Structure formats: C-alpha cells, structure tokens
Amino acid sequence: MLKRLLLFGIFAASISAQAQREKILKLPSFDKPLFHYGFYLGANNNSYKIGYKPSSISNPEIEVESSIGFNVGLIADLRLHNNINLRFEPGLMSNTKTLRFNHIPGPENINTREVGATYLHLPLLLKFSTNRLNNMRPYVIGGVSYDHNFSSNERNNDDNYAGEFRTTTNNFMYEVGIGVDFYLSYFKFSPSIRGVFAINNEVKYDNKASQWTDPINYLGTRGVFLHLAFE
C-alpha cells in the first residue's frame, strides 16, 4: 500500500509540475500594444483559372503547369479588438507558369508560352483570433490586395505572334487563410496556409485575332502559399 501511495504521489507531483509548466506564458504582454511589426517568408504554388468563350477555335484547351515560387515581405499590425487585428503585409510574390495550348498544332515555340510573374503584393487583411491557449492562438485571416505585376509586358507591342504572352499590370485579388500563433521566448512565430484568387481578368489580348488569346474569356491567378511570419 505504501508503495502504491508513493507511486501515486510521484505521479500527482509530475502532473502538477507539468500543469505549472503549461501555465508559464511566454511573451505575456505581446498582444497588448496597439501596433507591432514583423516580417514574413514563404513559398507559393500559383496557377491560373481559365474560362473559355465562344470563338472560331473549336474545342480550345489550355493546360497550366505551375512551379514553386517565393514570398517575402513586412508586417504592420493594428489591434482593433482583443480578437481582431488589421494587418498590412506589403511584399514580393514571384513564380513562373507554363501555358500549353493543346488545341494549337506545331512545335513548342508555337503552342507553349512561359509566363513569369513578379508581383508587388499589397494586401489589407483582417485577422480573427481565438483567445490565447497557453502559448498558442489559432486564427483565420482574409482580405483584399492590389498586385502590381512587374513581368506583365502589357505595354509591349509584341504579342503571341512574336512569342510574347502578355498579362495585365494592375490586378486585384482576395485571399483567405488559417494559421496558429506560437508564442516563443523572444518572438511570435505564425505559420499559416493561404489561398489567393484574382478578381479581374489578367489576360492582355493579342493585337489581332489569334488562336492563343481569342478563346479566353477569363484568366486569373489561383494559388496557395505557405506563410511563415516572425513578429
């Protein structure tokens, strides 16, 4: 019996010690200031959503092959409420996509276009967080952004007849995501998964009727990215 009581006492003491460790909050005052700043890094996999329109091209088919790109930027956070923050996260978002026009016969220089995109990404977001759970805090985030595409070639007179697939320079998108804040000893680490979706049509139509752009009614960025914030 004494052995059982001793074992129970050791077990209870270990549980109590664990509970006390869990109650030790790291960065307990982090969320109190009105403003705070940070930066983020990440990776994206952006593609295009394509809608077709009636045209002289029968059975148009455009295949999009995407590659992994990167995101990097800054964070400015304004606390509106204990559970609501307004965030401005300016940064750069870059990747490359390959378009294959399967309805166009011929060699790759005719039916394949590589589209590089480097965006100045300017999102304004609302972040809705739960109450803090020890040293973690789940959240959802969403908002809209203006994206300036440095690689658009919109003003280039050369079009697909010269091998150039053009996209618009000024674009608007919305994004949504989920993540978790982890309060560490010296900073807050916030990984999240986000989706980004273009609102406007991003295609710049060729100067004359063409088999590349005529079938396209809508072409817009659709993507997902991993966002790693350090605040």
Side-chain angles (χ1 to χ4, degrees), residues 1 34 41 133 137 139 164 182 189:
M1 180 63 117
L34 186 63
L41 304 170
L133 307 171
R137 196 177 192 190
Y139 65 86
E164 293 286 339
F182 292 101
F189 174 57

Side-chain angles (χ1 to χ4, degrees), residues 93-224:
M93 181 169 62
S94 179
N95 75 352
T96 300
K97 297 172 279 289
T98 300
L99 301 182
R100 304 188 188 281
F101 298 83
N102 294 329
H103 58 277
I104 302 177
E108 283 197 358
N109 66 322
I110 299 297
N111 59 25
T112 302
R113 295 287 183 266
E114 186 173 276
V115 183
T118 299
Y119 293 100
L120 173 62
H121 186 55
L122 302 174
L124 191 62
L125 307 167
L126 280 174
K127 177 181 178 181
F128 300 90
S129 306
T130 67
N131 291 330
R132 181 167 170 169
L133 307 171
N134 292 319
N135 289 309
M136 60 181 293
R137 196 177 192 190
Y139 65 86
V140 296
I141 192 167
V144 295
S145 69
Y146 165 74
D147 290 56
H148 182 91
N149 187 358
F150 295 108
S151 309
S152 70
N153 292 326
E154 182 177 10
R155 296 184 179 181
N156 192 342
N157 290 326
D158 292 336
D159 59 13
N160 278 289
Y161 288 99
E164 293 286 339
F165 187 90
R166 300 175 298 178
T167 54
T168 55
T169 301
N170 302 299
N171 303 286
F172 296 91
M173 303 188 187
Y174 68 92
E175 63 183 80
V176 293
I178 58 173
V180 180
D181 290 334
F182 292 101
Y183 297 83
L184 306 180
S185 297
Y186 299 104
F187 62 90
K188 185 173 73 172
F189 174 57
S190 302
S192 63
I193 296 291
R194 302 186 187 182
V196 61
F197 308 90
I199 298 172
N200 61 287
N201 187 3
E202 294 181 60
V203 67
K204 173 68 175 178
Y205 291 97
D206 291 333
N207 300 325
K208 59 181 180 179
S210 82
Q211 54 191 339
W212 294 277
T213 60
D214 271 16
I216 299 175
N217 184 55
Y218 174 83
L219 181 141
T221 296
R222 292 289 186 274
V224 61

